[in-house]
Amino acid sequence: MSRESQTALPGTPDQPELPGKLPDHLRAELIAFRRDLHMHPELGHQEFRTTAAIKARLEKSGLCPRVLKSGTGLICDVGTWDGGRPMLALRADIDALPIPDAKTHVAYRSTFPDRAHACGHDVHTAVVLGAGLVLADLDRQGLLPRPVRLLFQPAEEVLPGGATDAIESGVLDGVGRIIAVHCDPRVDAGKIGLRTGAITSACDRLEITLAGPGGHTARPHLTTDLVTAAARVAVDLPAVLSRRMDARSGMSITWGRIEAGHACNVIPMHAELSGTIRCLDINAWHGAPDQIHAAIDEIAGMHRAHSEITYVRGVPPVVNDPVVTELLRESMTARLGKESVEDTEQSLGGEDFSWYLEHVPGAMARLGVHTPGASAKRDLHRGDFDVDESAIGVGVEFFTAAALLDGRHSRPIG
């Protein structure tokens, strides 16, 4: 009997429950692993300790992880790929954010004053690690239909994202589909959110420097009033673009930093603004740089300010493949029933998982991390962000089900 024929589908007569359940001892270990990462967050391209910890645990299980050539991040194949049907890849991002951890009531808060896992990447990492360990055990039993690649990617938070470097290093060689989860504090633990098509937005970075002669605040008519010019750019740029771009594109510009001047009676010679540009529509995203450059030059010119613009391309939207999305729906239903899957909307968040989908079909699910019934919902990218850790076990079993069902799914890749 082939390995594929030994894997039982759930809910069919006279067949056992789908294998790949997470044992209690491993569930406890993964929670401890996640807490250790949470206490030792590392920023993009600096995830050396995190990479070493993942590598050591995979090797302990008899697997052979390979660190990426950048020195952080790694891939690990469960099973041996023979060049036949391409593998399913499970992707996790491993970096943290440069913000303080504001939690004071937990023992596992960050031990670094300016770094925190405030986006749930520690959870993503524990989920893929746990799935890999369970799948390795299934493979030893002859129950894994075909090999699966574990991908632990660095630098997701660094535009244009560590995914581009990972792809260049060959992480998709032999991969036919790729899936991922992202923590969602709006979804209860025990559930996932799914959407076919675009589930995130494009995200770019914008930096503007305005320059002029400056001068005395008593004689603004003899100067270039850069404080006023910066204020007008901040306010008018979104307004101008709202009339030059299709409103259905969902274009959004949000400023994160504005700096100008040092004294109350001196008009400065320089002003700086930086922010993000988010867009729901990929066609509008392609045309955004030219529109934004032209609008900034016009607004700055009205105030006799010289503008220098740095437009940093970030990531396109994550567009979920319909077949892979259905695989994820079937997988979660097999584990926890139809009620564990809910529809979700497209968000303005950016995710470099989108770069993988430029090469292979895939899908991202939103992993519920909110404790059911709890009133507080701690949002992503906040210093007080935390999760219901039962989500780790849910994510592991969700991924193991996907790996088992992918081998028998209706539309083969490759």
Side-chain angles (χ1 to χ4, degrees):
M1 186 184 301
S2 69
R3 283 185 178 181
E4 190 163 323
S5 64
Q6 293 179 53
T7 303
L9 288 170
T12 54
D14 303 320
Q15 287 188 321
E17 183 181 10
L18 192 70
K21 298 285 286 185
L22 181 65
D24 289 341
H25 71 87
L26 184 53
R27 188 186 309 272
E29 180 188 347
L30 292 173
I31 290 174
F33 190 91
R34 177 255 168 176
R35 292 183 177 187
D36 179 71
L37 295 186
H38 202 86
M39 292 174 66
H40 302 91
E42 296 176 301
L43 303 182
H45 302 300
Q46 301 173 25
E47 311 96 331
F48 296 102
R49 183 186 184 277
T50 303
T51 298
I54 300 166
K55 181 173 181 287
R57 184 59 185 90
L58 292 170
E59 289 176 338
K60 182 180 178 181
S61 186
L63 296 170
C64 299
R66 293 165 282 165
V67 176
L68 302 183
K69 63 182 181 181
S70 62
T72 62
L74 65 156
I75 60 173
C76 181
D77 293 347
V78 181
T80 303
W81 186 56
D82 60 5
R85 282 185 71 188
M87 292 176 281
L88 175 72
L90 314 179
R91 176 268 200 172
D93 37 12
I94 65 175
D95 59 323
L97 284 163
I99 64 175
D101 189 339
K103 297 187 298 296
T104 59
H105 61 288
V106 296
Y108 52 84
R109 72 189 299 256
S110 173
T111 56
F112 296 91
D114 57 351
R115 287 180 282 179
H117 269 295
C119 199
H121 295 189
D122 51 342
V123 173
H124 306 165
T125 301
V127 166
V128 173
L129 174 64
L133 298 177
V134 172
L135 291 173
D137 186 57
L138 292 177
D139 185 52
R140 286 187 286 268
Q141 299 175 56
L143 295 176
L144 187 62
R146 57 194 173 113
V148 173
R149 174 161 295 166
L150 314 176
L151 166 54
F152 299 91
Q153 178 214 300
E156 188 275 331
E157 298 287 357
V158 182
L159 290 179
T164 55
D165 292 335
I167 292 167
E168 289 179 5
S169 70
V171 300
L172 292 181
D173 294 347
V175 170
R177 290 187 177 115
I178 187 167
I179 60 176
V181 294
H182 198 295
C183 290
D184 192 335
R186 302 165 302 171
V187 178
D188 282 350
K191 295 185 176 183
I192 63 166
L194 284 179
R195 178 184 174 88
T196 300
I199 192 171
T200 69
S201 77
C203 180
D204 298 335
R205 188 173 79 243
L206 179 64
E207 298 177 357
I208 306 168
T209 299
L210 302 177
H216 201 296
T217 56
R219 293 180 286 277
H221 60 290
L222 301 179
T223 71
T224 295
D225 186 352
L226 288 182
V227 173
T228 297
R232 294 317 312 178
V233 169
V235 173
D236 291 348
L237 180 59
V240 169
L241 290 175
S242 73
R243 294 299 179 266
R244 295 188 181 180
M245 303 192 74
D246 191 329
R248 293 170 295 181
S249 68
M251 174 72 70
S252 172
I253 297 178
T254 305
W255 305 106
R257 184 179 69 91
I258 301 177
E259 293 186 12
H262 300 283
C264 66
N265 61 347
V266 177
I267 295 175
M269 299 175 66
H270 297 279
E272 296 180 353
L273 303 89
S274 61
T276 59
I277 302 161
R278 300 177 188 273
C279 186
L280 298 176
D281 180 75
I282 195 166
N283 293 321
W285 178 66
H286 285 303
D290 290 342
Q291 294 274 16
I292 288 172
H293 273 77
I296 292 171
D297 286 342
E298 290 177 22
I299 297 167
M302 291 176 59
H303 296 274
R304 297 177 296 181
H306 173 73
S307 61
E308 292 186 4
I309 304 164
T310 301
Y311 193 109
V312 181
R313 269 303 197 192
V315 295
V318 172
V319 182
N320 283 347
D321 176 81
V323 172
V324 183
T325 303
E326 185 58 27
L327 167 65
L328 298 186
R329 186 179 300 275
E330 292 177 8
S331 302
M332 191 64 175
T333 300
R335 292 301 192 198
L336 292 174
K338 293 181 179 179
E339 297 76 15
S340 66
V341 181
E342 61 183 48
D343 294 332
T344 190
E345 75 280 358
Q346 183 180 4
S347 78
L348 281 171
E351 236 289 351
D352 75 350
F353 183 72
S354 56
W355 291 122
Y356 299 112
L357 305 187
E358 299 281 307
H359 300 270
V360 297
M364 171 174 280
R366 295 199 167 120
L367 179 67
V369 296
H370 175 252
T371 300
S375 58
K377 292 191 177 182
R378 298 183 175 92
D379 203 4
L380 302 170
H381 287 221
R382 276 179 31 173
D384 64 349
F385 176 74
D386 205 354
V387 304
D388 184 321
E389 292 176 315
S390 67
I392 296 173
V394 173
V396 170
E397 294 185 358
F398 171 50
F399 270 169
T400 57
L404 294 170
L405 294 179
D406 179 61
R408 302 169 64 97
H409 212 247
S410 58
R411 192 187 76 182
I413 298 294

